[in-house]
Amino acid sequence: MSLPHPEAVWTEAVMLAVLAETSPELSGLGLAPYLGGLRRDDVGNGWWGMAWVEGGRAVLFGYDVDYSQTRDVHPPLDLLAGGPDWLPWEWLHKVMRHAQTLAYVYWWDGSSWSHTPYPEGLRDGLTYGADAVEDSYYEHTDADRQSEVSGVLARLSSAVAAGAVDRAVLEPVVELLEDDGDVEPALAMATALGATPGSSRPEIAAGQGEPADRRVYLIDPSHAASAIGVAMRAASELERPAPVAGPALERVVEWLRDSGETAVTVARAGNQTGSRSFISASLQWLDERLVELLHAWRDEDDAEQGRWLYARIALTGDQVTVERAYDHAPSWWEGGTVPAHMLDRLREEMHARAPQWRPGWAELLDADLWKTGAPPELCWRPS
């Protein structure tokens, strides 16, 4: 869906807000002032909102229950990535925290709409209530006078756009309703939104550039896990003593040979000591006997220095190749970097290590990113 000029979006939004005040029957339109702008809740379908920003600029934001695919991106999508300096950064973060679920943010710079790039083919569920005014109003007007409705709405639209809404404009709107309407609340709403003579519409102060400590609000706990996964991918191994080869590794190799397997790639995945404490790169659970052997092999590592998080064993004839990753997610691990249920296990692992053996990303495990938000560099970006 392409967006029209923000003046057209705002005019329709104000009309909905004004109409909602004319009668209790229309209060369900759900559009009302919101943090210095307007927001419409479409119960069961989502919501959208808009605000003006000083300098003739604007932002539009929202979420659609059925069509907003951007909310499911992992790692999480930074909806403000690439935003201009004038964007009301702190205000938008407040909106995100308040709304809890947000799937798109568009900004109007005075000449065109823009938004952050998305992964190819993804839809954000953009909506702004097109045709909602006329459809909603028709449902509650006198059926015998439908021919007058379009003219009344056209006059209201022109008056909203010109900031000229008054009693003379609103009385015909109320008069056409099937139930008792009231001009006064509608007139007060129009004034609050800058649509009456001498009134000013609400406006958000422009930002002064992207805050250096900005965080990306996360919708779901799984986003925290995937953001930490980005940090783990970018990390490298600390310089540590070479692990001592013990009999436990030999037993793992024997199990592979006896089972006819030529390779196994695994990650420590949970708190359990049973079959679900490790997971393969194909995200399949492992044979219980193999899990027992992996536990014994992993326990040969020193707890204070850290035990491996990912491991790969490959057999080529008599040759055995063993790789371990203690401090990062290696390129040869092709499964999900950090399953959400792995975070508690990772936290326990890092707390058991001596401080000098904790990689930098370990701090994120104690930060509760779902509440604090994630650093932008850990979110999805076009590069």
Side-chain angles (χ1 to χ4, degrees), residues 42-57:
D42 188 359
V43 178
N45 294 315
W47 65 276
W48 64 274
M50 178 183 165
W52 288 100
V53 181
E54 63 179 341
R57 296 167 292 208

Side-chain angles (χ1 to χ4, degrees), residues 53-54 57-59 80-92 107-109 114 204-212 214:
V53 181
E54 63 179 341
R57 296 167 292 208
V59 287
L80 303 185
D85 286 346
W86 60 261
L87 210 60
W89 298 89
E90 290 89 350
W91 183 86
L92 282 168
W107 50 85
W108 171 267
D109 63 4
S114 301
I204 305 299
Q208 301 299 314
E210 181 177 356
R214 183 173 73 88

Side-chain angles (χ1 to χ4, degrees), residues 28-76:
L29 291 175
L31 207 148
Y34 175 74
L35 300 178
L38 278 172
R39 167 172 166 158
R40 186 188 186 201
D41 289 304
D42 188 359
V43 178
N45 294 315
W47 65 276
W48 64 274
M50 178 183 165
W52 288 100
V53 181
E54 63 179 341
R57 296 167 292 208
V59 287
L60 187 142
F61 41 87
Y63 156 71
D64 186 276
V65 172
D66 297 316
Y67 299 109
S68 290
Q69 299 171 332
T70 46
R71 71 183 189 273
D72 297 322
V73 174
H74 287 81

Side-chain angles (χ1 to χ4, degrees), residues 165-177:
V165 176
D166 56 17
R167 189 178 299 277
V169 171
L170 290 173
E171 284 178 345
V173 174
V174 171
E175 195 270 334
L176 282 174
L177 294 172

Side-chain angles (χ1 to χ4, degrees), residues 142-279:
D142 189 333
D144 296 332
R145 303 175 65 184
Q146 291 291 302
S147 60
E148 301 177 48
V149 170
S150 294
V152 166
L153 289 180
R155 288 192 293 275
L156 177 60
S157 177
S158 297
V160 169
V165 176
D166 56 17
R167 189 178 299 277
V169 171
L170 290 173
E171 284 178 345
V173 174
V174 171
E175 195 270 334
L176 282 174
L177 294 172
E178 293 178 335
D179 64 337
D180 293 332
D182 192 348
V183 169
E184 295 304 326
L187 193 60
M189 178 61 74
T191 299
L193 298 176
T196 59
S199 63
S200 300
R201 66 188 178 194
E203 187 177 79
I204 305 299
Q208 301 299 314
E210 181 177 356
D213 59 350
R214 183 173 73 88
R215 292 294 182 267
V216 177
Y217 179 68
L218 305 180
I219 297 173
D220 187 90
S222 64
H223 282 140
S226 60
I228 291 173
V230 173
M232 292 177 69
R233 287 287 190 196
S236 57
E237 290 291 287
L238 301 174
E239 291 188 13
R240 58 177 63 247
V244 177
L249 173 58
E250 296 177 7
R251 286 192 284 271
V252 175
V253 172
E254 288 175 7
W255 185 94
L256 290 175
R257 293 192 190 283
D258 292 342
S259 302
E261 302 286 346
T262 58
V264 63
T265 304
V266 296
R268 185 78 167 100
N271 297 322
Q272 304 94 332
T273 56
S275 61
R276 298 197 172 191
S277 52
F278 293 95
I279 195 169

